[in-house]
Amino acid sequence: MATSCATSTFSPLLNKLTGRTSMAMVGLLSYAPKTLTPISPTRTFNFISLSTPTKPLKKSFQVRAVVAPTEAVSEFDEMVSGTKRKYYMLGGKGGVGKTSCAASLAVKFANSGHPTLVVSTDPAHSLSDSFAQDLTGGALVPVEGPDSPLFALEINPEKAREEFRTAAQNNGGTGVKDLMDGMGLGMIAEQLGELKLGELLDTPPPGLDEAIAISKVIQFLDSPEYSMFTRIVFDTAPTGHTLRLLSLPDFLDRSIGKLLKLKQKISSATSAIKSVFGQEQPKQDSTDKLERLRERMIKVRELFRDTDSTEFVIVTIPTVMAVSESSRLHASLMKEDVPVKRLIVNQILPPSASDCKFCAIKRKDQMRALDMIRSDPELTNLTLIQAPLVDVEIRGVPALKFLGDIVWK
């Protein structure tokens, strides 16, 4: 088998941590040397040396970096410092290990004294699998194990659509009736109602899942329910969904602005006509709601771009295709003014005394991908976190704690 060339010292402990005897699944362990300057073309990548102690679960592994001590400066101290709420968004190409990295970071924050919330905005959720706990249902669920409160939330688009349907039915069958009534266009609203707009939710349009995720971000900002959390970690959907999520506040802000201008013009015309006949002015409830929604969208947009409270961490693997996508993702994030500092390169083959033909070819391909990172202007200045590939599965809080201690140095 391909993994036979890389002797693993991780398996005995992690089998105890995960309660599994099978080593068929592939897991993730990581090491994070700090690089604040661009990577030199002549510089080589170094791996960690791990050794198992005689007493399990107590100081599980001694981690020794091959790099110089001056380069192994802790970065997690900066991430964990301060009590101001901070948001960390982990994203990248599908299947690169975003969920494991996000879950391990959340456990690390909780064990460092921060009440933490980890949120999955990916419609294909895997947080439940990562924590080995049922987190479905679209509600806050306490995670068992960490030292400080840790809650998880898998956003449920179908449940949100059902809530929207119920609200629409309670409002006379359409979600726009109040707005149209406020504009003095009740007759048009009734005609729109005959179109049964709620049925469109049975075939959700593109961007609906991202809109639901945005609504949850708004809740995090405004609701007392979330006020206790000083760290919020987002396990985001693959690249395309994430970019729509980040650009949505701008789009909604512009759209709401156009609606408000349209309503103002219509209101001016209708109020002039109604004043002739002595009728009352239309209510301003719908305008107030739109204004409040617009203010929240602006607040979310500012949050995504706040370098003091928000950071996007790109996760990738050492393949040419994945690195190329990560480069494009970083360029798109820069256009949205989203702060990015770190790049996790996952699934790097660990060193081996002897390589089979497959591993030798694979290692050569990975070195080519790492060379791309060195020379890519979008990626070379990011702090690099290298994550070696191992032959076990990371699942459950104890395993995530161990992973977090290795990744988030």
Side-chain angles (χ1 to χ4, degrees):
M1 292 181 64
T3 56
S4 62
C5 296
T7 303
S8 172
T9 60
F10 311 110
S11 303
L13 174 64
L14 288 177
N15 282 330
K16 293 180 182 179
L17 291 176
T18 60
R20 291 174 175 261
T21 57
S22 171
M23 293 170 54
M25 300 298 292
V26 174
L28 160 70
L29 293 176
S30 304
Y31 165 60
K34 181 177 181 181
T35 55
L36 295 179
T37 57
I39 302 171
S40 168
T42 60
R43 184 171 179 177
T44 58
F45 283 75
N46 298 301
F47 294 89
I48 55 174
S49 171
L50 302 178
S51 59
T52 53
T54 55
K55 294 182 180 180
L57 299 181
K58 223 180 237 190
K59 299 289 182 185
S60 303
F61 288 106
Q62 297 296 322
V63 182
R64 298 190 300 275
V66 180
V67 295
T70 55
E71 292 186 304
V73 180
S74 172
E75 288 208 2
F76 186 73
D77 288 345
E78 176 265 326
M79 299 174 72
V80 81
S81 64
T83 57
K84 177 184 176 182
R85 174 180 288 178
K86 293 184 179 180
Y87 299 80
Y88 287 88
M89 310 182 74
L90 281 78
K93 183 179 172 65
V96 297
K98 298 185 297 292
T99 299
S100 294
C101 293
S104 67
L105 178 59
V107 171
K108 181 82 170 180
F109 279 140
N111 286 334
S112 300
H114 281 285
T116 302
L117 172 64
V118 56
V119 184
S120 173
T121 64
D122 188 345
H125 299 298
S126 55
L127 270 184
S128 292
D129 297 328
S130 189
F131 282 106
Q133 186 177 338
D134 185 6
L135 306 174
T136 59
L140 291 180
V141 178
V143 176
E144 303 169 2
D147 299 335
S148 292
L150 172 60
F151 283 74
L153 170 65
E154 289 185 343
I155 295 176
N156 188 333
E158 178 55 38
K159 183 177 180 181
R161 286 194 288 270
E162 186 59 37
E163 291 174 354
F164 192 93
R165 288 191 194 97
T166 302
Q169 291 169 359
N170 293 337
N171 193 30
T174 75
V176 296
K177 188 174 186 301
D178 280 346
L179 173 62
M180 303 300 284
D181 282 342
M183 293 180 178
L185 302 174
M187 183 178 297
I188 295 178
E190 292 175 3
Q191 293 173 349
L192 289 174
E194 295 176 359
L195 297 177
K196 298 180 180 179
L197 298 178
E199 292 181 359
L200 293 176
L201 294 173
D202 293 328
T203 55
L208 181 61
D209 291 339
E210 288 77 22
I212 293 171
I214 283 287
S215 71
K216 287 297 180 182
V217 175
I218 293 174
Q219 282 186 266
F220 302 152
L221 297 177
D222 295 342
S223 174
E225 181 183 9
Y226 301 99
S227 61
M228 66 175 288
F229 299 112
T230 56
R231 295 293 182 272
I232 296 179
V233 179
F234 289 91
D235 172 28
T236 70
T239 304
H241 293 270
T242 300
L243 291 177
R244 284 203 301 267
L245 171 66
L246 295 173
S247 62
L248 196 58
D250 275 333
F251 172 76
L252 292 178
D253 180 27
R254 291 192 299 269
S255 300
I256 293 170
K258 292 178 181 178
L259 279 175
L260 287 171
K261 289 180 180 179
L262 175 62
K263 184 183 186 307
Q264 185 178 14
K265 291 180 180 179
I266 295 175
S267 297
S268 299
T270 55
S271 61
I273 296 173
K274 289 183 178 182
S275 63
V276 175
F277 297 97
Q279 297 184 18
E280 295 181 359
Q281 296 294 321
K283 296 180 180 180
Q284 296 300 311
D285 290 348
S286 58
T287 302
D288 294 340
K289 290 178 182 178
L290 281 174
E291 286 285 7
R292 286 196 297 270
L293 178 58
R294 188 181 189 185
E295 290 173 359
R296 289 174 177 174
M297 286 300 104
I298 294 173
K299 194 173 181 181
V300 171
R301 181 180 62 194
E302 291 174 348
L303 168 69
F304 285 163
R305 298 170 178 174
D306 186 351
T307 56
D308 293 328
S309 63
T310 302
E311 179 184 339
F312 194 101
V313 181
I314 299 176
V315 185
T316 190
I317 55 176
T319 67
V320 172
M321 290 178 63
V323 171
S324 297
E325 181 168 322
S326 299
S327 178
R328 292 192 297 270
L329 171 59
H330 185 260
S332 298
L333 292 172
M334 292 298 95
K335 289 181 181 178
E336 297 290 341
D337 295 321
V338 177
V340 186
K341 295 181 182 178
R342 296 169 176 85
L343 171 69
I344 298 177
V345 183
N346 192 14
Q347 301 179 13
I348 298 177
L349 285 174
S352 174
S354 61
D355 275 351
C356 66
K357 183 176 180 180
F358 173 85
C359 291
I361 295 174
K362 190 72 173 177
R363 197 182 307 280
K364 184 177 180 181
D365 288 341
Q366 291 192 349
M367 291 304 104
R368 184 184 302 116
L370 291 172
D371 287 340
M372 286 181 61
I373 295 175
R374 296 186 184 102
S375 59
D376 192 301
E378 293 291 342
L379 303 176
T380 188
N381 289 320
L382 298 179
T383 299
L384 185 65
I385 300 175
Q386 299 182 55
L389 175 69
V390 295
D391 57 357
V392 292
E393 181 180 28
I394 298 295
R395 188 168 184 264
V397 170
L400 289 168
K401 178 184 181 300
F402 175 74
L403 170 63
D405 289 342
I406 301 300
V407 177
W408 308 106
K409 297 293 291 181

